[in-house]
Amino acid sequence: MRNTIVRCHAAGWATGSAVCLGCTLWALVSLVAFAQAPSPNTGLRILVVRSAADADRMLQRLKHGEDFASLAREKSIDASASDGGSLGRIDPATLRRELRDALQGVKPGQLSGIVQIPSGFAILKVVDDSEPSDKKALSLQEMLPLAGGGSVKYSPNVAGAPEADAAFQAYPKKPGWEQDLRAICEARRQSLARTVERLDRLLDGPGRVGSPDPSQMRYVVGELQAYQGNMGETISRWEKTYKGLLADQPDAALPMEEALGVAYLHKSEMENGAYTSPGDRCIFPPRQSQAYPKTADSETAIRYFLKYLQKKPDDLEVKWLLNLAYMTLGKYPASVPAGDLIPPSVFVSKESVGHFSDVAKAAGLDLVSMAGGLIVDDFDNDGLLDIITSSYNMCEHVHFFHNNGDGTFTDRSAQAGLLDELGGLNMIQADYNNDGCMDFLVLRGGWQLPMRMSLVRNNCNGTFTDVTREAGLSQPVATQTAAWADIDNDGNLDLFVGNERGTAHLFRNKGDGTFEDISHSAGVDASTFTKAVVTADIDNDGYPDFYISNLNGNNLLYHNNGNRTFTEIGAKAGVQQPWTSFAAWFFDFDNDGLPDLFVTSYYMSVDEVMRSYLGMPHNAETLKLYKNLGNGNFRDVTKEVGLDRVFMPMGANFGDMDNDGFLDIYMGMGNPSYASMTPYVLLRNKEGKSFVDVTEASGTGDLHKGHGVAFADLDNDGDEDILTVTGGAVPGDAHAFRLYENPGNGNHWLSLHLVGVKSNRSAIGARIKVDVIVDGKTQRSIYRTVGSGGSFGASPLQQHIGLGESVEKVNIEIWWPASKSRQTFSNVSIDQFLEIKEFAKDYSKLEKRSFRLGGLNRQAAAEVHP
């Protein structure tokens, strides 16, 4: 087998054998008759320059007949310049996503458009077969600018997500398929089934000229079986590949040892119910040793990991996986070989915050799902917080869980009319039409292809109606992120929608139930791989601004000019990093009255996460916390508050878990690979000066994939519980929903439900100041802005405000965006629920009864499982 460079999911690169523990997409696509992309081993040239203006000049010169190779030698800054930009004959699937997308439909002899990559701005040419090239293969150093990743060690692809996505994208679809949710579901099902069938047919039949190596096909089929969670099928194919490599190329067998170890460990977890009935078995570090009933697969995983570590003893990722495998045997840390042990002391919390218990199943939230969105809010105006979830599974409907007011929830998806709302990686809520009933928006196409969103209107009678087309929002977008904000203070909520495959969209709410796209005239129609859209009034000028996180490139900060136009000021404000970003939000972490900015980096690397835990030098960017300086600029305070760490956060949100008045952070981790298992992280905000990891103390360190996250006082007891849609991007990684009940503390609180009159009814963008009064004097001020929190998962719009321990009464001040009016209320009693309407002279006290989450179901469960 020849050596090659292979793609590891979205951004990572590694050298390896042609078995490719990355994504052997070329083998998959070449075998499926409906492939549309350029064929494998396409001849390519590239020209890279530093600016977009230079790239435009180069493109014009090429269109006027200049020789590509000559111009590349003269102008290109890429390592291939000396070879006339030649990349040789390579598989386009191994290129960065932007370059692959740019090559769609480009025929031999033709040019791509201009593509921004980390090293500059690129133009590609598909080389005609007759064009000579002495370039045989790219070195790793030459490929890195086209692949990204640098020295970061990425986790192997063990789950089949890229292969399944490639099959879905190549599958022939009927015109208008992206508007038909049932058609999207069927395309996913059929593309997967057909691809597996065709690959199996080729494996069973006689070989043919041009067919990939059977070992490659076996590996791809194994990936597609892993995608579905059929780990036995995966292992049987990969064992054959491994044995063949041991006989022919022992060195090339090393990556297979890690892959097989991961496959056996995942099989062990599935067969022992760790995904469907996880309990505390998936919480790291374990509070007590718990051995799986069936241990054979975990034992086999350990044997493979130990074989691997004999050859690569310093591999942190495989060491970590070995530790987790011993945990499933109930033998962590005692039986882990001393040289491979990652000790539990590394994860011990320095502070105690009480233990959060998962009560989801007892509360009736018995949902096992893939990655998805989460909204917690009152959707039927009964004063109780309901739950809505969505799923990356294109065939699963949105779930509506009604709060019964006794500690339990009932799935009313059918009664609510939501069975036809399929798929959706994320959701956000707002009363977009100001009728007093909470609506929501389902976002689709993230990591995949452009698809329709769903604007779901609340009919105020317990049912919902999809009004996307009537509202003018049916344009397909590849997205998982959007934000509601009233950009012009006309009382109607507008909508900013991010995009991963094209320009962003800003939709102005016309106030009649419809929206118009003003992206271009507003100056926000940039093309980025957008992973988060978040909003705040960064300079308190009365108009909301937007921050856009980008998976691949500089992040953007759009300042609102007050006239439905925006100016991008990311560089000036100093908030463009990290280069590879994901979750983001604005929050006032230090209670100085200015919205600060939190944005995470996202590298699909267990190695980097372990380096961060162990205090070793890291190669990836850390997450970022930017302090708002009040003059339109921000200062990076990441190191001084103790956040200069590397994680893999996807789902993330903030809330006040201990009612001290300072906002804390909870992040769910992962990437599609089954090798990616690192704990969720709960970070306590210490008086706006630093953050401390309290994951171990709280018992919230689930090892499995984290997506929608929300903080909410579900049981009206005065503290915020934590909810998560836990589950990965493939069916074989579906997981039980988590609801962590807050153990409570002695601190006081206040809950404010704001109702706009001239401002939008949801009060999004309204600013709250609460002065804490002790001995008749103001001790400190606490600031909040109405919104649903982070960029993946949505907390209630009603604001839960922790007040701390020593407090007698509070003064409240509300600033309303449309009317620019202020309300003040003095000497307000604490520990109560209040409703405040814009312009009202007084507030209303809401009577709410507290209850125990899980109710009688929880007691019964305790009696059965003492």
Side-chain angles (χ1 to χ4, degrees), residues 216-484:
Q216 295 173 340
M217 286 190 284
R218 275 197 299 270
Y219 192 84
V220 173
V221 173
E223 286 279 27
L224 293 172
Q225 293 292 351
Y227 174 86
Q228 301 169 82
N230 301 327
M231 303 312 297
E233 294 288 333
T234 298
I235 288 168
S236 68
R237 286 167 171 80
W238 288 1
E239 291 278 15
K240 291 180 183 178
T241 298
Y242 176 62
K243 290 175 183 177
L245 287 171
L246 282 178
D248 299 337
Q249 276 191 295
D251 291 342
L254 182 65
M256 284 300 305
E257 288 171 355
E258 179 180 5
L260 278 163
V262 172
Y264 272 106
L265 180 56
H266 192 75
K267 182 171 182 282
S268 179
E269 289 192 295
M270 293 186 73
E271 292 191 348
N272 284 281
Y275 290 89
T276 55
S277 300
D280 290 337
R281 292 181 298 172
C282 309
I283 303 298
F284 192 90
R287 294 171 67 85
Q288 60 184 16
S289 296
Q290 297 185 61
Y292 284 2
K294 304 173 185 177
T295 60
D297 289 324
S298 290
E299 291 166 358
T300 305
I302 287 172
R303 288 197 293 272
Y304 273 113
F305 292 145
L306 288 173
K307 281 184 182 181
Y308 181 99
L309 289 168
Q310 286 177 356
K311 305 177 189 74
K312 293 191 69 175
D314 297 326
D315 192 305
L316 282 177
E317 177 176 76
V318 177
K319 281 187 178 183
W320 169 246
L321 292 169
L322 177 68
N323 280 251
L324 295 185
Y326 274 105
M327 178 177 150
T328 67
L329 301 181
K331 296 181 178 181
Y332 171 85
S335 297
V336 181
D340 299 323
L341 177 64
I342 297 179
S345 59
V346 171
F347 304 90
V348 171
S349 302
K350 296 179 180 179
E351 297 182 359
S352 176
V353 294
H355 184 262
F356 287 66
S357 299
D358 178 15
V359 297
K361 186 168 288 190
L365 299 168
D366 193 8
L367 174 69
V368 176
S369 180
M370 290 167 59
L374 168 66
I375 302 172
V376 183
D377 222 308
D378 184 358
F379 285 92
D380 49 12
N381 290 333
D382 63 355
L384 299 168
L385 294 173
D386 309 302
I387 298 168
I388 296 182
T389 68
S390 64
S391 176
Y392 196 55
N393 182 345
M394 298 175 184
C395 300
E396 182 176 344
H397 64 78
V398 165
H399 290 270
F400 173 54
F401 292 98
H402 175 261
N403 190 330
N404 299 324
D406 61 359
T408 67
F409 293 78
T410 300
D411 190 337
R412 291 188 179 175
S413 308
Q415 299 94 314
L418 294 174
L419 297 186
D420 291 327
E421 287 298 332
L422 305 179
L425 188 51
N426 199 13
M427 301 179 294
I428 55 173
Q429 83 274 32
D431 181 1
Y432 81 94
N433 57 359
N434 291 328
D435 66 354
C437 301
M438 194 67 69
D439 315 295
F440 64 97
L441 181 77
V442 184
L443 302 161
R444 300 186 180 90
W447 301 110
Q448 300 182 89
L449 294 172
M451 302 174 195
R452 58 162 287 191
M453 302 179 291
S454 286
L455 178 62
V456 184
R457 186 188 67 208
N458 190 332
N459 298 323
C460 301
N461 61 1
T463 69
F464 297 83
T465 300
D466 189 325
V467 295
T468 313
R469 186 176 298 278
E470 301 93 305
L473 295 176
S474 59
Q475 178 173 342
V477 186
T479 187
Q480 63 159 61
T481 184
W484 295 101

